[in-house]
Amino acid sequence: MPSIKPTAINPQEAEKLERIAYILKTVAHPLRLGIVHLLEQHPRLNVTDICEALGYEQSLVSHHLQNMKLKGILSVKRDGRSMMYSLKERDVSLIIECLENCQCNM
């Protein structure tokens, strides 16, 4: 049986893996995953809409939205008196979609 020699990861691949790990760590919470899923369906929502759709208290949702915004997952724009949240990058959705379709033993 031939042996497989591991090859070094080039800097670009290492950077890509770091970014994926960072995204996974950031969204690794049921509420945060729910927010991402909701924003996939409705590209711009305010905190009240998100709270009503997911059934959580506004203070908790706001905390998670702020965390995801600070880590670059979400973008926020003011619309009158409301702050409208949206996914900053489609990459987040693609990563989660891949995990949802995984045939892992869960």
Side-chain angles (χ1 to χ4, degrees):
M1 181 170 211
S3 65
I4 299 173
K5 291 187 177 185
T7 58
I9 296 175
N10 68 47
Q12 292 83 14
E13 289 173 346
E15 187 176 316
K16 183 178 178 181
L17 293 173
E18 286 290 330
R19 177 69 181 148
I20 292 168
Y22 186 79
I23 290 169
L24 289 173
K25 283 188 243 179
T26 301
V27 298
H29 185 280
L31 176 52
R32 293 181 192 167
L33 289 170
I35 291 168
V36 169
H37 185 69
L38 194 58
L39 290 172
E40 287 172 337
Q41 298 169 9
H42 308 277
R44 293 184 64 213
L45 293 172
N46 64 32
V47 67
T48 303
D49 295 332
I50 295 169
C51 291
E52 288 175 4
L54 298 177
Y56 286 93
E57 298 281 330
Q58 184 170 341
S59 59
L60 181 61
V61 171
S62 293
H63 170 77
H64 285 284
L65 289 169
Q66 180 69 8
N67 182 288
M68 293 170 73
K69 182 188 129 205
L70 290 172
K71 294 187 175 178
I73 303 298
L74 301 179
S75 60
V76 183
K77 291 189 178 169
R78 182 175 291 282
D79 183 14
R81 294 177 63 197
S82 294
M83 300 299 283
M84 302 303 288
Y85 292 87
S86 59
L87 290 175
K88 196 168 188 177
E89 298 179 21
R90 173 89 176 115
D91 295 348
V92 177
S93 298
L94 295 174
I95 292 168
I96 293 170
E97 182 181 322
C98 180
L99 291 171
E100 286 175 344
N101 293 326
C102 178
Q103 297 299 318
C104 303
N105 293 327
M106 297 179 147

